[in-house]
């Protein structure tokens, strides 16, 4: 079993450094999550583990289980999303596949129970109660204000988009057989995998309602980039086994084989997975930068400047540009919904504008005449473009 460590009175941990699990025996109970700042939120999310400790010892390395005996935090977690919320949400026009997936693990295999078209609450509740199906709700932050606030702060903290999914499983049931994810623990996926969920991400699981029994197994592919189901007779005994209760948090790296079920004789289980850092690996970084490196290398290497074979199809040559992307035109109802809205909002400038853009970025205020551009026309055009997109103020 993972080692249990209690926080000391001075805020430091007693005993050995926690390698897998921390159990918090709250006296008066910590306050709900700190939403005053991005760093404050993340610190409260993983409390009592320190941020430095988390990124040094757990991030992309091994599971972290934080169990909290805290009624205040448990009540707060329950408010983020409840089974009872589904009725009002379905009345707003939810659709199978886009908003909701339904499935169940039957004889070690996933059985998809999605219907066609719009989700009707009575049918959804019937599948949940009678067929013991798991319900997955995509991106609930579109409709739940507190989740929206949490994810907004986390986007600022990680400098990356943050998505979420809710999983609701009835007592005595399981959504999926043992598997590992291409993200750092997406939880109990149901039915088809959305395109935006296939990207490697880092995920934190918050237990909201009821209890969920988890079994984790050693990864066969560290930091896996592909989703895979695993036969139970091939993965051996669980490396870790525990039950999450409201207020608890779980993190584990991509590639960790896992399965989860709601214990019999208890109420249903609801948990939310909060994911971030999609397409932020070194491999993704190189994919974005290699094109620029090739461009620069070609300046010094005559072979790269030689013509390609005759009649080989190729794209038009493009001038090297600077792109400024922003989120001011994003809509909450399509946040993290993949192909629901694929257009990126932003501006494009010649590479010669990069120094002037850096001046604006690094200055609280700057005169237009001081911008590092050749002509007054270029300076005025740059400022007008940024002002039109509401990216700067002009006084």
């Amino acid at each position: 079993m993972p080692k249990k460590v209690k926080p000391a009175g001075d805020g430091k941990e007693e005993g050995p450094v926690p390698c897998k699990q921390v159990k918090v025996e709250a006296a008066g109970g910590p306050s709900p999550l700190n939403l005053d700042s991005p760093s404050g939120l993340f610190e409260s999310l993983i409390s009592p583990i320190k941020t430095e400790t988390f990124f040094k010892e757990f991030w992309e390395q091994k599971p972290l289980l934080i169990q909290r005996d805290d009624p205040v935090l448990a009540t707060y977690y329950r408010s983020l999303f409840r089974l009872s919320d589904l009725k009002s949400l379905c009345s707003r026009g939810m659709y199978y596949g886009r908003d909701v997936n339904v499935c169940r693990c039957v004889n070690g295999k996933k059985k998809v129970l999605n219907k066609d078209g719009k989700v009707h609450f009575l049918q959804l509740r019937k599948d949940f109660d009678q067929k013991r199906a798991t319900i997955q709700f995509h991106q609930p932050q579109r409709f739940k204000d507190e989740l929206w606030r949490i994810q907004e702060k986390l986007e600022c903290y990680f400098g990356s988009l943050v998505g979420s999914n809710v999983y609701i499983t009835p007592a005595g049931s399981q959504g999926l057989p043992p598997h590992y994810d291409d993200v750092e623990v997406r939880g109990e996926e149901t039915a088809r995998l959305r395109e935006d969920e296939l990207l490697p991400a880092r995920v934190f699981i918050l237990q909201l309602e009821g209890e969920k029994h988890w079994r984790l197994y050693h990864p066969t592919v560290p930091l896996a980039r592909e989703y895979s189901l695993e036969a139970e007779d091939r993965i051996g005994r669980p490396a870790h086994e525990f039950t999450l209760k409201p207020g608890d948090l779980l993190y584990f790296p991509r590639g960790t084989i896992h399965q989860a079920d709601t214990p019999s004789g208890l109420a249903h289980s609801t948990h939310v997975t909060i994911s971030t850092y999609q397409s932020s690996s070194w491999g993704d970084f190189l994919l974005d930068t290699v094109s620029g490196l090739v461009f620069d290398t070609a300046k010094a290497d005559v072979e790269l400047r030689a013509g390609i074979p005759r009649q080989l199809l190729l794209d038009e040559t493009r001038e090297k540009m600077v792109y400024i992307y922003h989120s001011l035109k994003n809509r909450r109802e399509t946040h993290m919904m993949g192909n629901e809205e694929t257009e990126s909002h932003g501006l494009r400038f010649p590479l010669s504008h990069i120094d002037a853009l850096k001046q604006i970025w690094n200055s609280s205020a700057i005169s237009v005449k001081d911008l590092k551009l050749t002509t007054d026309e270029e300076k005025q055009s740059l400022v007008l473009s940024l002002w039109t997109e509401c990216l700067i103020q002009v006084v």
Side-chain angles (χ1 to χ4, degrees), residues 319-322 349-357 359 371-374 378 382:
E319 179 186 0
K320 196 169 184 181
M321 308 292 288
V322 178
F349 300 101
L351 185 60
S352 59
H353 285 49
I354 191 168
D355 288 335
L357 289 167
Q359 284 180 283
L371 293 175
K372 294 180 180 180
L373 288 170
T374 305
E378 287 179 322
L382 172 62

Side-chain angles (χ1 to χ4, degrees), residues 29-48 66 68 70 72-80 146-151 153-154 204-206 208 247-249 272 274:
S31 299
L33 301 181
N34 178 6
L35 290 163
D36 292 338
S37 67
S39 59
L41 171 62
F42 188 72
E43 289 169 2
S44 64
L45 186 69
I46 63 170
S47 174
I66 301 179
R68 302 177 172 109
D70 179 8
V72 174
L73 193 59
T75 299
Y76 174 76
Y77 274 24
R78 290 189 189 100
S79 72
L80 297 178
E146 196 67 4
L147 276 175
W148 179 257
R149 293 177 64 203
I150 290 172
Q151 292 177 224
K153 288 293 187 296
L154 289 176
F204 301 86
I205 294 175
L206 310 182
L208 309 184
D248 293 348
L249 176 143
V272 61
I274 298 178

Side-chain angles (χ1 to χ4, degrees), residues 324-330 344-347 389 391:
I324 305 293
Y325 294 106
H326 64 82
S327 59
L328 296 181
K329 296 182 181 179
N330 288 4
S344 297
H345 302 294
L347 298 168
E389 289 284 303
L391 298 177

Side-chain angles (χ1 to χ4, degrees), residues 13-84:
E13 297 158 355
E14 298 178 333
V17 175
C19 57
K20 300 181 183 69
Q21 172 177 352
V22 175
K23 184 158 186 176
V24 182
E25 302 291 350
S31 299
L33 301 181
N34 178 6
L35 290 163
D36 292 338
S37 67
S39 59
L41 171 62
F42 188 72
E43 289 169 2
S44 64
L45 186 69
I46 63 170
S47 174
I49 293 295
K50 302 299 182 183
T51 302
E52 298 80 4
T53 302
F54 174 77
F55 285 106
K56 181 179 179 180
E57 300 185 12
F58 297 97
W59 182 252
E60 296 188 333
Q61 298 176 59
K62 58 189 176 185
L64 171 63
L65 169 64
I66 301 179
Q67 294 181 307
R68 302 177 172 109
D69 183 14
D70 179 8
V72 174
L73 193 59
T75 299
Y76 174 76
Y77 274 24
R78 290 189 189 100
S79 72
L80 297 178
F81 198 102
R82 298 182 176 94
L83 172 62
S84 57

Side-chain angles (χ1 to χ4, degrees), residues 225-238:
R225 293 183 62 89
E226 296 179 353
Y227 177 89
S228 175
L229 293 175
E230 295 287 338
E232 194 159 5
D233 58 358
R234 296 178 54 190
I235 58 179
R237 296 176 59 84

Side-chain angles (χ1 to χ4, degrees), residues 87-110:
K87 184 174 183 179
S88 61
L89 288 170
C90 287
S91 69
R92 301 175 67 165
M94 303 295 113
Y95 288 83
Y96 286 103
R98 187 192 72 179
D99 304 296
V100 174
N101 279 329
V102 182
C103 82
R104 184 181 180 196
C105 178
V106 178
N107 298 323
K109 296 182 179 181
K110 180 180 70 176

Side-chain angles (χ1 to χ4, degrees), residues 158-208:
F158 284 100
S160 177
L161 291 172
V162 173
S164 65
N165 286 288
V166 163
Y167 303 88
I168 309 175
T169 304
S173 186
Q174 180 170 335
L176 282 183
H179 64 285
Y180 64 77
D181 302 319
D182 54 337
V183 301
E184 293 208 18
V185 157
R186 206 167 21 216
E188 205 169 326
E189 295 80 2
T190 56
R192 76 178 179 91
L193 297 172
R194 298 172 51 84
E195 181 180 354
D196 56 310
E197 292 175 324
L198 292 174
L199 300 173
R202 284 71 177 159
V203 181
F204 301 86
I205 294 175
L206 310 182
Q207 185 67 24
L208 309 184

